[in-house]
Amino acid sequence: MSRIINSVITNWGQNLIMNNNMVTEAEQIILAWVRSRPAQRKHLLEFLGIPIILCDNNGMILDYNIQASLILDLSSDKLYGQNLKEILNEIILPFTSSDSQRKVYKFKNHEGKTELFFINSYTKQEHTMHFLVRADGYTKPEDTLLITEQKYRNLLENAVEGIFIIGVKGFYLVNEHFCQIFGYEMSELLSCDPYKLFPLSEREIMRNYFTRKLEDCVVMHRKAEQVLINSQGDEIICQTSFFSTFYNGEYAIQGHVRDISQVQRYEKQLEATEGVYRKVMENSKENLFVLDESGIIYANKEFCKNIGYKSEELKELKNLSWVALEYRNVFSKLLDSLDTYKPPTHLQCDLLTSQGEKKTFTFTISTIPYKNSLAYIATGKDITLQKQIKRERKIKRRKDSIANRILRIVAESKVSENTFLEVIKLLGKEFPKRGLELCIYENNNVLKVYNLANEVPHVFFLLREDNDEYFDYLETQRVEFKSINPTCDDDFDNHFCVNGFKYLMQLTLTGLDKPFGFFRCAWREDEDAHIDNLILSELMQDISIALESSLYREQIAQITRKAVQDEKSKLLSKFTIIGEMANSIAHEVRNPMTTVRGLAQLLKEEDNTNESYFELMIDEIDRANITITEFLKLATNRLTRKEVVHLESVFDVVINLMYAEASSRGINIVSEYLLKEDVYLYIDKEQIKQALINILQNALEASHMGDTILIKISQEDENVVIEFKDEGTGVEAEYINNIMEPFFTTKDENAGLGLSVSYKIIRDHGGDMIISSGVKEGTLVKVNIPKLSEEIPELLA
């Protein structure tokens, strides 16, 4: 009802039945519709603001407005060409019918609610116009129309824009807001020339324009933004809208005016603010761009510099071609939901520069209004360098971790072949998709190859020909990359071919002075090949000296083992000489000594005056006899009572035998039995017991009151290891190599045979004894005895 004219409502309410003014107005509307072009007719009916249906004399619908279609709940394809009488008979039922021109109908709308409508009909030149007014629950049309009029007046008076109606005689109606805009009283405006509100240069133009429209009854609808003059003579910018209407049976023009001067000032301020903001954005060190469905619509200098495009070039890029392929789907999803505001989103992505290189950015993306629509503004930083540093650190951590584990293998492994096998296995776990090889020169002509392909290690030898130029070439190349020929017949590459590898990296292993081998790495097709190759090439350079040291260490160990074996052979040869001496003179010495001891015993019994001399003679003879006994033990190679013995039983006997002496000396004996299972030995129990007692006796004699002797039993490979560690005076370095030789001793009252006898017993049982000592640092004696072998029970059986 916002555009219904006051006169139609008022006169309709006062003279509902055939009032001359009402009839005249209806006839004018019909004539205006007939004279108008088809495009103008719809505007004419819409401007009236009430539901109207126009029919011919037979009731066929010629035109209608939106309000009528909403009331009847029918779309245009159902109304045009239908007979209104049939529609009324079918849908709208008669309620009262006392007059042919005024009827009240009951109608059930599309929501299922029953409503009353008053319908007045007017005819002119074979056309009938029907006006529909909602009854709003009233049974009298007069009441409904008065209520409708009041609603319209309230709407008019409380409108937020200035409203006026102008005819050939001037202003017919103005509302309060219109008066406020121009600073006039309502009575002043209604009595003044309407065209004085226009600038002087436009007054006659506007007067002629409106007069012609009013006289010709032309249907019009015009919107414009123009300057008007208020009561103070000041110019104000207004947004105006003019359209055709009727007032008291006269064709008129209704206008709506809004003062937008303040809005324009705000817009200018906003433009100035936007200019400042644009400068800030343009010169910001943040990477910034604005994006909508068409692509990038703005990009600042920093972003253009980092991505290598000019702003105009970025605007021309389509289909997100500046985004790395793997991130285009993310941007597409963002653009698909651009029709709604969303909270800021954080995104890390790769973009493509003008040179096709990838750069990594992190952005905060927000929704902003942009030119009557929505767009995204993205602000962020180029983190390519940080990402590269982080990636390099990650690679270095990984490389260092592998290098540390390899160096641990090199340090703990005693045999170079085991070292290289464990290294190649470790690299296989770290790079499971690779084929790997360590190729080490055995000598100038033989190459020993440690190969790992498909997680299976192999060791084989390659013979180098005298004219083999390929190996000479490799020695001069630090790193070489090549494609493997799928039809290769070269033994050096064949094991990679058969496993489907396509590419190869070869790295020369250089030690302290010259190359000692090669490292070879093969792969099929792998996106991370570059990173893995980088790690492997740097890794092998870092550990090449350590790998070479493993070779040198084994050579040194072989030389050392040979020297030790030679020394042990010399020592055992001394035992052989002693044995031969013992066999020839032991009995000859013992017999006269037995005779002398017997005579000394008789003389002692007969002559008590010299008893002390006789006792001294007997003690010295007994001491010499003990030496001869030990000497004979050293000489013999016979193991007379070899049997299966539980280790712990032997160990407990030795501790118990020596515990009393240790206590009397004030020395502590601490034992640690570290074996997790029962261990059996195949030994001469008495001889092993004697060997251990001799070692422990030496430790007791070297210790002082308050010292501790630690005895630790553990297992190493197939041997039982018994360690005796004392806190005594220790042995000087110059004597340590001779300490197990027969008759060597640093003590005044000792024959020097205890350790020699122990060493020979341990060696006769297939074991070994190692002594390390330092002055005032104590002595460590380490005894290795083989465990019970699985074959021994079968032999016994």
Side-chain angles (χ1 to χ4, degrees):
M1 297 296 292
S2 62
R3 295 176 181 171
I4 186 170
I5 56 176
N6 185 42
S7 63
V8 173
I9 299 292
T10 304
N11 293 332
W12 202 356
Q14 293 174 348
N15 301 294
L16 190 63
I17 304 174
M18 296 300 294
N19 179 272
N20 290 333
N21 290 335
M22 189 65 188
V23 172
T24 302
E25 291 169 357
E27 291 176 350
Q28 289 175 345
I29 294 172
I30 294 172
L31 290 174
W33 185 89
V34 171
R35 281 186 239 159
S36 299
R37 295 191 302 273
Q40 294 175 318
R41 290 173 177 176
K42 182 62 67 177
H43 291 297
L44 175 63
L45 298 184
E46 296 297 340
F47 293 155
L48 295 173
I50 60 175
I52 293 176
I53 299 176
L54 187 68
C55 304
D56 61 15
N57 285 340
N58 296 322
M60 298 300 293
I61 296 176
L62 301 175
D63 204 353
Y64 68 98
N65 61 6
I66 292 176
Q67 291 90 334
S69 66
L70 292 175
I71 286 175
L72 296 178
D73 191 27
L74 294 173
S75 59
S76 59
D77 59 341
K78 291 186 178 180
L79 276 178
Y80 282 117
Q82 294 197 45
N83 193 297
L84 181 62
K85 295 178 182 178
E86 294 178 359
I87 294 176
L88 295 179
N89 290 336
E90 180 182 353
I91 300 177
I92 304 177
L93 303 177
F95 184 67
T96 60
S97 181
S98 59
D99 190 278
S100 61
Q101 296 296 322
R102 183 190 68 186
K103 295 182 181 180
V104 181
Y105 291 91
K106 180 173 67 176
F107 168 64
K108 180 177 284 188
N109 65 10
H110 64 282
E111 295 179 353
K113 297 180 181 179
T114 301
E115 297 188 47
L116 298 180
F117 289 90
F118 301 99
I119 300 181
N120 275 24
S121 303
Y122 302 92
T123 303
K124 179 72 173 177
Q125 292 186 354
E126 300 180 352
H127 292 82
T128 301
M129 185 168 290
H130 305 277
F131 295 86
L132 288 73
V133 179
R134 183 177 278 105
D136 287 338
Y138 296 93
T139 57
K140 294 182 179 181
E142 294 85 352
D143 295 338
T144 301
L145 294 175
L146 287 173
I147 294 299
T148 303
E149 176 189 359
Q150 186 60 45
K151 287 181 179 178
Y152 177 74
R153 287 191 178 278
N154 290 338
L155 179 63
L156 188 67
E157 292 171 0
N158 298 314
V160 296
E161 57 186 11
I163 301 175
F164 68 91
I165 295 177
I166 187 174
V168 294
K169 298 177 182 179
F171 281 123
Y172 291 169
L173 178 145
V174 293
N175 71 349
E176 287 292 338
H177 195 74
F178 186 80
C179 298
Q180 293 173 8
I181 291 174
F182 293 96
Y184 290 100
E185 295 293 334
M186 187 176 293
S187 58
E188 291 180 298
L189 281 174
L190 291 174
S191 61
C192 77
D193 179 9
Y195 301 102
K196 67 179 292 186
L197 301 180
F198 293 94
L200 184 61
S201 59
E202 298 179 14
R203 286 177 188 174
E204 290 306 315
I205 297 173
M206 297 305 296
R207 187 190 303 275
N208 294 333
Y209 175 77
F210 280 109
T211 300
R212 187 172 61 254
K213 296 290 184 184
L214 291 168
E215 289 175 350
D216 296 342
C217 297
V218 177
V219 176
M220 65 169 292
H221 187 196
R222 177 178 180 271
K223 288 184 178 181
E225 184 179 300
Q226 57 192 121
V227 176
L228 299 177
I229 307 299
N230 65 11
S231 61
Q232 305 297 321
D234 298 327
E235 293 183 352
I236 57 174
I237 302 173
C238 295
Q239 192 176 62
T240 60
S241 177
F242 305 101
F243 51 87
S244 306
T245 187
F246 291 90
Y247 186 81
N248 289 331
E250 180 182 329
Y251 189 83
I253 295 174
Q254 182 172 330
H256 292 234
V257 178
R258 299 180 68 183
D259 182 2
I260 61 171
S261 301
Q262 189 67 29
V263 173
Q264 286 210 341
R265 283 194 292 271
Y266 288 150
E267 288 179 350
K268 289 180 180 179
Q269 292 176 1
L270 181 60
E271 288 178 1
T273 304
E274 287 180 351
V276 173
Y277 182 60
R278 183 177 288 271
K279 287 182 180 179
V280 172
M281 290 194 302
E282 190 66 22
N283 298 307
S284 173
K285 293 303 179 184
E286 291 273 328
N287 291 272
L288 186 147
F289 66 89
V290 179
L291 175 73
D292 67 4
E293 294 172 349
S294 64
I296 289 181
I297 53 182
Y298 171 77
N300 72 348
K301 293 179 182 177
E302 186 69 15
F303 183 69
C304 292
K305 181 182 73 173
N306 283 327
I307 205 168
Y309 286 102
K310 294 180 180 179
S311 181
E312 294 74 16
E313 293 173 336
L314 281 172
K315 292 177 183 178
E316 294 176 359
L317 295 177
K318 303 298 180 184
N319 301 324
L320 300 172
S321 58
W322 47 276
V323 179
L325 188 62
E326 60 269 26
Y327 290 97
R328 289 180 188 174
N329 189 42
V330 177
F331 277 86
S332 296
K333 288 182 178 179
L334 281 173
L335 293 174
D336 289 343
S337 59
L338 188 54
D339 55 340
T340 56
Y341 280 95
K342 291 182 288 298
T345 302
H346 300 287
L347 174 65
Q348 180 175 315
C349 60
D350 290 342
L351 304 183
L352 298 176
T353 68
S354 59
Q355 303 299 320
E357 298 176 356
K358 281 186 180 181
K359 280 195 172 185
T360 304
F361 292 82
T362 176
F363 289 111
T364 298
I365 301 177
S366 306
T367 310
I368 60 168
Y370 189 86
K371 293 185 178 180
N372 300 323
S373 62
L374 294 178
Y376 286 121
I377 182 169
T379 57
K381 296 180 179 179
D382 177 3
I383 61 168
T384 307
L385 181 59
Q386 294 93 312
K387 185 178 179 181
Q388 183 179 353
I389 293 173
K390 184 177 179 181
R391 177 168 162 267
E392 289 175 354
R393 287 176 179 172
K394 183 178 179 181
I395 292 174
K396 186 177 184 303
R397 284 196 299 268
R398 185 183 177 199
K399 183 197 71 174
D400 291 346
S401 174
I402 300 172
N404 289 335
R405 282 180 283 167
I406 291 177
L407 293 176
R408 190 179 302 116
I409 291 173
V410 173
E412 294 177 355
S413 180
K414 297 178 180 179
V415 181
S416 62
E417 181 167 325
N418 293 339
T419 300
F420 294 122
L421 277 175
E422 291 300 317
V423 168
I424 206 75
K425 288 178 184 178
L426 173 61
L427 293 176
K429 291 179 180 178
E430 290 293 331
F431 305 93
K433 298 179 181 179
R434 297 297 181 102
L436 303 166
E437 269 185 0
L438 275 173
C439 311
I440 308 298
Y441 287 124
E442 286 287 297
N443 52 50
N444 291 335
N445 297 319
V446 178
L447 196 67
K448 191 171 186 180
V449 181
Y450 301 85
N451 173 267
L452 183 71
N454 294 333
E455 301 181 359
V456 179
H458 299 281
V459 181
F460 56 89
F461 292 91
L462 285 177
L463 183 63
R464 175 178 177 175
E465 303 292 341
D466 292 338
N467 59 349
D468 200 335
E469 298 179 356
Y470 181 60
F471 286 103
D472 294 332
Y473 167 76
L474 283 179
E475 289 182 4
T476 63
Q477 299 296 312
R478 191 66 189 90
V479 182
E480 183 195 26
F481 294 90
K482 72 172 187 176
S483 297
I484 301 175
N485 187 350
T487 61
C488 64
D489 54 2
D490 185 354
D491 292 339
F492 201 43
D493 291 342
N494 185 57
H495 43 278
F496 286 142
C497 292
V498 297
N499 286 287
F501 292 103
K502 297 181 179 180
Y503 309 101
L504 185 66
M505 176 183 75
Q506 299 177 142
L507 176 72
T508 303
L509 298 176
T510 303
L512 295 175
D513 53 355
K514 64 178 181 179
F516 64 91
F518 308 103
F519 171 73
R520 289 157 46 92
C521 170
W523 67 96
R524 297 175 180 90
E525 289 182 1
D526 188 358
E527 292 182 357
D528 296 329
H530 174 70
I531 296 175
D532 288 351
N533 289 339
L534 177 65
I535 293 174
L536 283 167
S537 60
E538 292 183 359
L539 176 67
M540 299 312 295
Q541 292 177 37
D542 291 346
I543 66 169
S544 59
I545 293 179
L547 294 177
E548 185 186 41
S549 70
S550 175
L551 294 172
Y552 289 160
R553 186 177 61 195
E554 183 173 5
Q555 295 174 6
I556 294 170
Q558 290 174 350
I559 295 171
T560 303
R561 284 195 295 271
K562 186 175 183 306
V564 170
Q565 191 61 39
D566 291 343
E567 289 295 323
K568 290 181 178 179
S569 298
K570 291 179 182 178
L571 183 58
L572 291 176
S573 66
K574 293 179 182 180
F575 289 141
T576 303
I577 296 171
I578 293 170
E580 293 173 357
M581 292 172 59
N583 288 329
S584 62
I585 66 173
H587 292 289
E588 298 299 329
V589 172
R590 268 187 167 175
N591 289 335
M593 286 179 63
T594 302
T595 303
V596 172
R597 188 181 187 286
L599 292 173
Q601 185 69 31
L602 289 173
L603 292 173
K604 173 186 173 184
E605 293 175 358
E606 294 176 358
D607 185 3
N608 293 331
T609 57
N610 295 312
E611 182 177 358
S612 59
Y613 296 132
F614 296 131
E615 288 180 357
L616 180 59
M617 290 172 62
I618 293 170
D619 290 342
E620 289 299 315
I621 291 171
D622 288 342
R623 191 162 73 86
N625 194 40
I626 290 172
T627 300
I628 293 172
T629 301
E630 290 184 353
F631 192 51
L632 289 174
K633 288 180 182 179
L634 186 64
T636 182
N637 288 320
R638 291 175 297 179
L639 300 175
T640 56
R641 292 182 294 177
K642 210 168 186 182
E643 58 184 325
V644 177
V645 179
H646 190 277
L647 171 63
E648 195 169 354
S649 64
V650 177
F651 183 69
D652 289 343
V653 170
V654 172
I655 296 297
N656 291 334
L657 286 174
M658 302 302 295
Y659 185 77
E661 183 176 351
S663 297
S664 65
R665 293 171 177 263
I667 299 170
N668 300 316
I669 297 179
V670 177
S671 60
E672 293 182 3
Y673 196 82
L674 304 180
L675 299 175
K676 296 181 180 179
E677 57 184 10
D678 290 341
V679 175
Y680 292 87
L681 306 175
Y682 187 57
I683 58 173
D684 186 323
K685 181 177 180 180
E686 293 302 321
Q687 287 196 13
I688 291 295
K689 189 193 304 179
Q690 183 61 49
L692 297 180
I693 288 174
N694 289 347
I695 295 170
L696 186 53
Q697 180 66 44
N698 266 22
L700 286 172
E701 292 176 355
S703 299
H704 304 88
M705 182 179 292
D707 287 351
T708 298
I709 299 174
L710 175 63
I711 306 174
K712 183 165 62 175
I713 301 179
S714 59
Q715 183 175 334
E716 187 177 294
D717 297 331
E718 298 302 318
N719 294 327
V720 173
V721 180
I722 306 174
E723 297 180 6
F724 298 85
K725 179 69 174 72
D726 64 57
E727 299 175 345
T729 54
V731 180
E732 294 179 8
E734 56 185 295
Y735 299 139
I736 196 68
N737 293 329
N738 308 106
I739 197 168
M740 288 187 292
E741 292 185 3
F743 307 111
F744 179 83
T745 181
T746 58
K747 303 170 187 176
D748 295 336
E749 298 180 356
N750 196 308
L753 292 172
L755 288 179
S756 301
V757 171
S758 297
Y759 177 72
K760 188 173 186 305
I761 292 172
I762 298 301
R763 291 290 297 177
D764 289 342
H765 283 79
D768 197 5
M769 188 168 73
I770 302 170
I771 299 177
S772 58
S773 183
V775 177
K776 297 182 180 180
E777 294 180 0
T779 301
L780 172 64
V781 179
K782 185 176 179 181
V783 176
N784 296 324
I785 303 176
K787 288 197 312 180
L788 177 64
S789 138
E790 294 179 359
E791 292 80 6
I792 297 298
E794 297 177 2
L795 293 174
L796 294 175

